[in-house]
Amino acid sequence: MSKRTLYFLFTAALIVGVLLLFPDPAMAAPGGRIASAIFRTVPGKILLVVLTIIFLPLIISVMVQESRAEKSTRKALASLATQHPEMDWFAVKNRVTEVFTRVHAAWRKEDMQEASDWMTHWYWQNQQIAHLEQWERDGLINHCRVKSLKKIRPLYLKYKNEDGTANGTRIVVGIDANMEDYLAERVSGKVVQGKPGYDDVESVWTLVLENGRWLVENIEDGALTLQYAKIMNELSKATAGSSAANAARREA
């Protein structure tokens, strides 16, 4: 058995062990995801230090790949912005910030109808019916409050220009925020998932361009940032700079 195989077996065993030893607490947020909060406990913090030391080379590799993906996507956006102003990164970043704030505000009020102008029709209905209404039936309430939005990183871009408007173009961004997020019983207030208090949470948001506006199409766990960072941007062959952008992504 090779050293590489042994390393991966050890990694898998370690991860399984962590999940068995620290099954709780967890956090819920828009998207219905459950983000692990095991490293908020004292044993969890000790474990985090140990895991960081063990996986430091892997962590550095991931950071490098995501950094390259971010630079590549920024470059692609800059090129496209000459044709479509809504593709300018600063415009996208401002829109993402606004969307993030609006969606969480609606989520906190348990009324995703308030965020219907910031999400695709299907997705806001999915959030209301699949999660909020189900929690209400179960007698649960999600306490979700954003303290600050720390970082927004463009990870992947799929450009469409079938009608000259860029409608249907999708961008995936990684969002780091400091927020409080936990589930509790509606009547007793007993916490059933997560933990009161603010903590750094990472999530992955996909936005689609519809009639010149970026709308939320999906929200996923922050663990998926690397998967998106590994995908080459999908750009029109006629887009200036696309070859260079994709070449940079391949080197990752």
Side-chain angles (χ1 to χ4, degrees):
M1 188 177 294
S2 67
K3 291 183 179 179
R4 187 183 184 88
T5 302
L6 286 172
Y7 175 77
F8 281 114
L9 288 176
F10 171 75
T11 301
L14 187 59
I15 293 173
V16 171
V18 168
L19 294 176
L20 291 176
L21 289 172
F22 301 95
D24 291 311
M27 296 191 293
R33 60 190 174 79
I34 301 296
S36 176
I38 62 174
F39 298 122
R40 298 177 68 183
T41 62
V42 174
K45 291 178 180 178
I46 296 174
L47 179 62
L48 178 60
V49 173
V50 174
L51 290 177
T52 300
I53 294 173
I54 294 175
F55 297 114
L56 186 58
L58 180 60
I59 292 172
I60 294 175
S61 175
V62 169
M63 292 175 64
V64 169
Q65 291 188 63
E66 292 188 359
S67 177
R68 287 176 175 173
E70 181 177 351
K71 291 179 181 178
S72 172
T73 306
R74 281 176 179 265
K75 187 173 182 178
L77 287 169
S79 176
L80 291 167
T82 60
Q83 306 170 52
H84 311 285
E86 62 272 25
M87 306 287 279
D88 177 78
W89 170 239
F90 290 104
V92 174
K93 185 178 180 180
N94 289 337
R95 176 65 177 182
V96 171
T97 300
E98 192 172 17
V99 166
F100 187 86
T101 303
R102 296 272 186 166
V103 169
H104 277 87
W107 184 267
R108 186 172 65 252
K109 295 178 181 178
E110 300 181 276
D111 183 9
M112 294 308 290
Q113 175 66 42
E114 289 195 10
S116 59
D117 289 338
W118 310 88
M119 313 172 85
T120 62
H121 180 74
W122 174 85
Y123 198 66
W124 78 256
Q125 281 193 320
N126 170 272
Q127 294 292 281
Q128 184 70 42
I129 297 173
H131 303 297
L132 293 178
E133 291 183 5
Q134 181 60 52
W135 284 339
E136 185 175 5
R137 289 192 292 270
D138 293 341
L140 302 174
I141 183 172
N142 181 209
H143 295 276
C144 180
R145 191 177 301 274
V146 177
K147 185 176 183 180
S148 63
L149 205 166
K150 303 176 69 175
K151 186 184 298 184
I152 301 174
R153 298 174 296 141
L155 300 171
Y156 167 70
L157 179 70
K158 184 175 183 179
Y159 172 61
K160 287 190 176 182
N161 189 22
E162 297 176 357
D163 57 2
T165 65
N167 275 335
T169 295
R170 287 170 172 78
I171 187 169
V172 178
V173 296
I175 303 178
D176 298 329
N178 187 265
M179 56 191 291
E180 181 179 57
D181 189 8
Y182 64 95
L183 275 175
E185 293 180 357
R186 190 176 296 271
V187 177
S188 68
K190 179 182 178 181
V191 177
V192 296
Q193 285 188 338
K195 185 178 180 180
Y198 290 92
D199 197 11
D200 291 339
V201 178
E202 184 178 29
S203 54
V204 175
W205 291 49
T206 299
L207 291 90
V208 60
L209 192 63
E210 292 186 1
N211 299 318
R213 297 189 307 154
W214 290 102
L215 303 177
V216 179
E217 187 179 54
N218 196 18
I219 303 173
E220 299 172 280
D221 189 85
L224 296 175
T225 54
L226 180 59
Q227 292 187 28
Y228 283 108
K230 287 183 176 180
I231 305 174
M232 288 192 301
N233 290 322
E234 297 182 46
L235 309 174
S236 167
K237 292 182 180 180
T239 301
S242 62
S243 298
N246 279 333
R249 181 63 59 84
R250 290 191 187 96
E251 292 177 3

